[in-house]
Amino acid sequence: MSTQASRVAARAMLSPTVLLLLIWMIVPLVLTLWFSFQRYNLLYPDRSGFIGLSNYLNFVSAPAFWGAIINTFLLVGGVLLVTVVGGIGIALLIDQPIWGQGIVRILVISPFFIMPPVAALVWKNMFFNPTNGLFAEAFKLIELRPFDFLGQAPLGSIIMIVSWEWLPFATLILLTALQSLSSEQLEAAEMDGAPPVKRFWFIMLPHLARAITVVILIETIFLLGIFGEILVTTNGGPGTSSTTLTYLVYKEALLDFDAGTAAAGGVVAVILANIVAVFLMRAVGRNLDA
Amino acid sequence: MGQITLSGVAKRFGEAQVIPPLDLEIQDGEFVVFVGPSGCGKSTLLRLIAGLEDTTGGRIIIDGRDATGVSPAQRGLAMVFQSYALYPHMSVRSNIAFPLRMAGLPKAEQDRKVEAAAKVLNLTSYLDRRPGQLSGGQRQRVAIGRAIVREPSAFLFDEPLSNLDAALRVGMRMEISELHEKLRTTMIYVTHDQVEAMTMADKIVVLNAGRIEQVGSPLDLYRSPRNIFVAGFIGSPKMNLISGPEAQRFGAHTIGIRPEHISVHPTMGEWRGIVGVSEHLGSDTFFHVQETGLGAALTVRAGGEVSLHHGDTVFLTPEPDKIHRFDQSGLRL
Ligand SMILES: Nc1ncnc2c1ncn2[C@@H]1O[C@H](COP(=O)(O)OP(=O)(O)OP(=O)(O)O)[C@@H](O)[C@H]1O
Ligand SMILES: [Mg+2]
């Protein structure tokens, strides 16, 4: 397979793709870097030129900056927690032989097919609406005052929406992992005197470790960039209580028309994402080694 | 203690009656082998005894206690699976200690028992490895180790050697027999390999389509098989079965004669035939003799030095007192 000649040929064949991907990645990154050191405000096109780090200082010293970072971590962490725990629970349930298993499985994965803004709007209007949403109705039914989810707990509500979207993904990955566990191992544990809870803890959970790692890594990548759900539900508010880093960049660029600061914010976000990636690989990446 | 009684135990999967009601008595300390062709229900029967499968009918009594509805863990039996079913993420030590840990034994006690088991099974130097870093035979021993630390009243083995190569299989066979001598605990052993059955068992249970065809010591089964099925299943190579006029001469519907009970002579004998394929094993030679006029080719065992060639004419003579006679329905006469 890997003779000298075949390796050279493989590289030659791969190079156009690699080159294309490189350009694809490098060009926007370099442009962003370039803009981040420029004075570049769409409202004042005449004021331009190199201004050093002041875009960065501007972005980092914005009052919403630290809050946005905390919100980003809360969002990512919250969604990860809900999807991993919930995913394991649902995977365990739908792994049981039940009547209508096929339908149940399709229903469980269906949220994944709904595009994020639509899902968020459905949640906002159908469930969270404090006057005629379903949750409000349910609260009234048990004689409680309706709770204004998006007003009182904006970040928690967004975590709920995003978790709903990502639960199918986690469930699917964890379910396939669960199904690859040999039943003889569980039977052996049963004969060894392990009750169901201990069988889960000592046999199933270690078996799922790798799948959980995959779920965490992949979800983190996507969750760091969550934007549409925030835009259509809370607009980052009330105040800045649900503003994340991504949303802050959007606000700089398209609400304040300050492309330079937005570019600086983008670079900060990239750096932050890389720090998170390194940290994650350190923490859970070793589960991926065979 | 490890006395097990099955009375009227039956199992069906949906419509399929895999085990029709059967009775079986297993004495304390016995080495019992379930043997039978693939799919005859050996594993199912073993799993019924283990409690991993619910019975459809009948009762399972272990040491005088009705265990039919008792959970597997409470039955006091240990099982060794065909795939070993070791816990891959735990070290050998934790694997063996697992049942003790589940039983809530103090750590020191656990360690002591694990060390003792490891010593018996020659695993002492592997205790800190993962199962993935062991050979098949070593994994097998870990699985056995995990079973013996529990000090069960009986061991259940489901084809434990079928994943091993031939040489290792012979070695492990002896180790398990040795273990049985040492522990004197009841062992129930499932196999489809009749050599394993013959060499290890105190008592063989021959199963066919879920029914017990015969129960007895290896030599009982070899000497007086109760029917044609057992006759054909026990013994290697298989017993020659002859029906038709030749069988009627002996007053039977079918007669059976084992390859080792036929003598070969180049010029004189009862049956005349032509040598087909011959298998030289060194110590023995097996000839397949064709065109005997008996309806089937016969397998004959001769000494290792006998030299006959493909196409040679030979004469065969059965030992008259070693001929098994069976009636129309296949039962021994
Ligand atoms: N869970 C099940 N559902 C339905 N049928 C089953 C199930 N388990 C086993 N059977 C059927 O029961 C019969 C006996 O199976 P079993 O596994 O006991 O055979 P076996 O004697 O152990 O065979 P082998 O030597 O190949 O392991 C087979 O015909 C099999 O198809
Ligand atoms: Mg089997």
Side-chain angles (χ1 to χ4, degrees):
Chain A
M1 180 58 204
S2 61
T3 59
Q4 185 81 32
S6 74
R7 254 174 296 162
V8 170
R11 281 196 199 128
M13 301 291 205
L14 275 174
S15 53
T17 318
V18 172
L19 214 66
L20 196 71
L21 278 175
L22 203 69
I23 294 170
W24 207 279
M25 232 182 63
I26 288 291
V27 169
L29 190 66
V30 168
L31 268 178
T32 307
L33 272 172
W34 169 256
F35 287 141
S36 73
F37 293 106
Q38 298 287 318
R39 182 189 300 252
Y40 184 13
N41 192 317
L42 301 178
L43 292 179
Y44 314 101
D46 48 324
R47 297 187 209 160
S48 62
F50 184 76
I51 54 162
L53 286 173
S54 52
N55 277 333
Y56 288 89
L57 290 177
N58 208 1
F59 186 78
V60 170
S61 61
F65 176 74
W66 289 108
I69 287 193
I70 291 172
N71 282 342
T72 306
F73 280 120
L74 282 179
L75 178 63
V76 173
V79 173
L80 282 178
L81 191 74
V82 175
T83 52
V84 169
V85 173
I88 291 175
I90 296 177
L92 283 174
L93 279 180
I94 62 178
D95 193 30
Q96 308 293 321
I98 47 166
W99 188 83
Q101 200 173 38
I103 305 245
V104 169
R105 286 187 182 169
I106 289 173
L107 283 180
V108 164
I109 60 167
S110 56
F112 208 46
F113 299 123
I114 297 174
M115 42 286 238
V118 174
L121 282 175
V122 167
W123 273 86
K124 180 183 177 181
N125 296 316
M126 195 168 142
F127 292 104
F128 288 152
N129 190 305
T131 49
N132 45 25
L134 286 180
F135 285 164
E137 294 293 337
F139 273 74
K140 280 183 220 155
L141 208 67
I142 51 170
E143 318 232 309
L144 281 177
R145 231 157 48 84
F147 182 74
D148 181 8
F149 282 90
L150 289 169
Q152 303 290 318
L155 199 62
S157 304
I158 290 171
I159 288 176
M160 211 191 290
I161 297 171
V162 178
S163 299
W164 180 80
E165 285 169 2
W166 281 91
L167 227 111
F169 171 77
T171 305
L172 216 60
I173 301 249
L174 293 168
L175 178 65
T176 49
L178 209 56
Q179 286 172 338
S180 72
L181 177 60
S182 97
S183 62
E184 286 199 345
Q185 254 180 57
L186 289 174
E187 285 173 349
E190 192 178 350
M191 295 221 52
D192 284 346
V197 175
K198 286 192 175 164
R199 287 207 288 278
F200 171 74
W201 187 256
F202 289 109
I203 313 295
M204 285 184 176
L205 212 52
H207 177 79
L208 289 180
R210 192 180 293 201
I212 293 174
T213 309
V214 169
V215 168
I216 290 180
L217 290 178
I218 293 185
E219 283 197 10
T220 305
I221 294 169
F222 286 95
L223 294 178
L224 281 172
I226 284 289
F227 172 73
E229 290 85 339
I230 303 174
L231 182 76
V232 301
T233 52
T234 64
N235 262 312
T240 56
S241 56
S242 60
T243 296
T244 62
L245 212 54
T246 330
Y247 194 81
L248 196 63
V249 172
Y250 157 79
K251 212 157 87 178
E252 292 292 343
L254 296 177
L255 300 183
D256 302 344
F257 301 108
D258 188 349
T261 306
V267 173
V268 170
V270 167
I271 292 169
L272 212 77
N274 276 293
I275 293 173
V276 171
V278 168
F279 173 77
L280 268 184
M281 286 308 284
R282 281 270 169 93
V284 293
R286 73 189 150 76
N287 280 336
L288 294 181
D289 301 336
Chain B
M1 282 295 282
Q3 202 225 3
I4 299 171
T5 309
L6 308 184
S7 66
V9 168
K11 177 69 186 177
R12 47 167 64 246
F13 288 110
E15 282 301 294
Q17 179 85 317
V18 174
I19 312 256
L22 62 75
D23 300 303
L24 183 65
E25 186 81 34
I26 294 166
Q27 300 305 328
D28 183 31
E30 245 179 348
F31 198 118
V32 179
V33 173
F34 293 171
V35 69
S38 185
C40 70
K42 307 178 294 288
S43 300
T44 307
L45 190 56
L46 197 72
R47 291 166 57 84
L48 285 172
I49 296 173
L52 294 171
E53 215 69 77
D54 290 326
T55 55
T56 326
R59 292 191 312 147
I60 298 169
I61 293 147
I62 300 174
D63 291 334
R65 201 166 55 103
D66 189 342
T68 317
V70 174
S71 77
Q74 249 83 62
R75 295 191 185 194
L77 310 175
M79 184 148 166
V80 175
F81 292 83
Q82 181 174 355
S83 67
Y84 318 138
L86 299 178
Y87 312 129
H89 51 276
M90 296 183 197
S91 66
V92 168
R93 186 189 302 278
S94 321
N95 262 284
I96 299 178
F98 191 74
L100 305 174
R101 190 164 156 204
M102 289 301 112
L105 244 63
K107 190 83 182 68
E109 185 87 347
Q110 285 182 25
D111 286 342
R112 198 178 54 72
K113 291 199 171 185
V114 170
E115 297 288 345
K119 209 157 141 204
V120 172
L121 295 164
N122 284 324
L123 284 171
T124 311
S125 44
Y126 304 108
L127 277 178
D128 294 313
R129 292 211 198 162
R130 293 281 177 94
Q133 300 163 318
L134 299 178
S135 73
Q138 289 162 344
R139 283 181 214 183
Q140 186 61 68
R141 283 205 284 268
V142 176
I144 294 173
R146 195 172 63 185
I148 62 177
V149 287
R150 293 180 54 198
E151 295 168 11
S153 56
F155 290 96
L156 312 176
F157 293 93
D158 191 356
E159 306 203 19
L161 307 186
S162 57
N163 289 344
L164 304 180
D165 69 46
L168 205 52
R169 207 180 290 184
V170 175
M172 282 306 294
R173 206 160 77 196
M174 299 222 264
E175 279 187 47
I176 294 177
S177 293
E178 195 63 46
L179 195 69
H180 180 243
E181 288 300 319
K182 208 170 338 185
L183 301 174
R184 285 268 139 229
T185 309
T186 311
M187 291 189 176
I188 306 179
Y189 188 102
V190 164
T191 181
H192 58 244
D193 177 358
Q194 56 96 19
V195 176
E196 268 173 37
M198 293 295 282
T199 51
M200 299 171 87
D202 293 327
K203 183 156 104 184
I204 296 182
V205 177
V206 182
L207 291 167
N208 182 22
R211 274 172 297 118
I212 295 183
E213 295 285 352
Q214 190 171 2
V215 179
S217 75
L219 283 183
D220 279 349
L221 264 54
Y222 177 80
R223 288 205 195 104
S224 40
R226 222 185 60 180
N227 55 32
I228 289 186
F229 180 81
V230 178
F233 200 79
I234 300 291
S236 168
K238 276 177 63 145
M239 183 188 279
N240 297 297
L241 295 168
I242 302 163
S243 44
E246 189 63 18
Q248 265 146 32
R249 210 158 62 79
F250 289 87
H253 181 263
T254 307
I255 56 168
I257 179 81
R258 295 193 185 278
E260 52 270 44
H261 298 143
I262 301 177
S263 56
V264 186
H265 197 275
T267 53
M268 46 186 276
E270 205 150 329
W271 301 321
R272 179 174 179 277
I274 303 211
V275 175
V277 174
S278 39
E279 297 171 309
H280 296 274
L281 301 182
S283 59
D284 299 306
T285 311
F286 295 108
F287 295 106
H288 296 271
V289 182
Q290 290 159 340
E291 294 172 40
T292 51
L294 300 172
L298 296 186
T299 311
V300 181
R301 192 191 76 178
E305 309 300 325
V306 175
S307 118
L308 286 170
H309 297 101
H310 201 282
D312 288 357
T313 301
V314 286
F315 289 87
L316 310 173
T317 312
E319 290 175 39
D321 57 332
K322 295 285 168 57
I323 291 177
H324 304 268
R325 297 158 50 232
F326 302 100
D327 69 11
Q328 193 97 37
S329 55
L331 286 177
R332 182 183 191 78
L333 284 170

